[in-house]
């Protein structure tokens, strides 16, 4: 029933159907290439931090407010972890990258740490320490 209220939709806007298609930013082909390249760099950097048993994948999709980026890691045991965000395209118009190197490293390190923690939590009760 929440979708039937006049408050459905984006924050600060009433009426979910009132959002115009022109409000959603379109990516130029150059911006799309930059975004896909940057997302691939996040996935590659995440793979550098993890052993080969971890599966890392990245995706760029269209959301209500524009492109959305998701990078996910599936550890050998435990739950999958992911990071999703909407890049700021206005700053990327004149830039050579949509996602900065610092942001890529931060996301990659966070995902790798979260995936490693998932494995640790999944096996912590089943492994006996070898020594004290």
């Amino acid at each position: 029933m929440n979708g039937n209220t006049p408050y459905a939709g984006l924050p600060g806007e009433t009426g979910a159907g009132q959002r115009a298609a022109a409000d959603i930013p379109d990516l130029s082909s150059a911006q799309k290439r930059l975004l896909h390249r940057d997302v691939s760099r996040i996935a590659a950097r995440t793979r550098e931090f993890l052993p080969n048993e971890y599966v890392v994948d990245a995706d760029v999709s269209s959301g209500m407010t524009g492109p959305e980026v998701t990078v996910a890691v599936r550890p050998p045991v435990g739950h999958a972890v992911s990071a999703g965000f909407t890049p700021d395209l206005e700053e990327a118009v004149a830039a050579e990258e949509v996602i900065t190197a610092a942001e890529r490293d931060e996301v990659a390190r966070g995902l790798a740490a979260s995936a490693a923690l998932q494995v640790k939590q999944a096996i912590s009760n089943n492994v006996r320490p070898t020594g004290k």
Side-chain angles (χ1 to χ4, degrees), residues 57-118:
D57 195 18
D59 184 44
V60 177
S61 60
S62 295
M64 286 184 60
T65 59
E68 295 178 355
V69 174
T70 304
V71 182
V73 178
R74 177 73 179 151
V77 295
H79 299 286
V81 294
S82 64
F85 55 95
T86 303
D88 186 6
L89 297 175
E90 291 177 9
E91 292 180 8
V93 172
E96 301 230 355
E97 53 190 15
V98 178
I99 305 167
T100 66
E103 291 171 330
R104 291 191 306 263
D105 280 345
E106 180 182 351
V107 172
R109 288 178 198 274
L111 278 172
S114 296
L117 181 62
Q118 288 297 317

Side-chain angles (χ1 to χ4, degrees), residues 32 52 56 67 83 90 113:
K32 286 179 186 177
N52 292 335
V56 181
E90 291 177 9

Side-chain angles (χ1 to χ4, degrees), residues 1-129:
M1 294 303 289
N2 290 338
N4 293 333
T5 70
Y7 306 107
L10 296 173
E13 294 183 10
T14 58
Q18 294 176 354
R19 185 157 175 90
D23 292 345
I24 300 173
D26 280 332
L27 293 176
S28 68
S29 58
Q31 285 177 317
K32 286 179 186 177
R33 279 192 301 276
L34 287 174
L35 186 56
H36 281 282
R37 184 198 64 194
D38 289 349
V39 172
S40 295
R41 286 179 174 176
I42 293 172
R45 184 74 173 139
T46 304
R47 285 185 196 101
E48 290 176 9
F49 292 124
L50 297 168
N52 292 335
E53 292 82 17
Y54 291 76
V55 178
V56 181
D57 195 18
D59 184 44
V60 177
S61 60
S62 295
M64 286 184 60
T65 59
E68 295 178 355
V69 174
T70 304
V71 182
V73 178
R74 177 73 179 151
V77 295
H79 299 286
V81 294
S82 64
F85 55 95
T86 303
D88 186 6
L89 297 175
E90 291 177 9
E91 292 180 8
V93 172
E96 301 230 355
E97 53 190 15
V98 178
I99 305 167
T100 66
E103 291 171 330
R104 291 191 306 263
D105 280 345
E106 180 182 351
V107 172
R109 288 178 198 274
L111 278 172
S114 296
L117 181 62
Q118 288 297 317
V119 171
K120 182 180 179 194
Q121 289 175 343
I123 64 171
S124 65
N125 295 333
N126 298 330
V127 177
R128 285 192 226 177

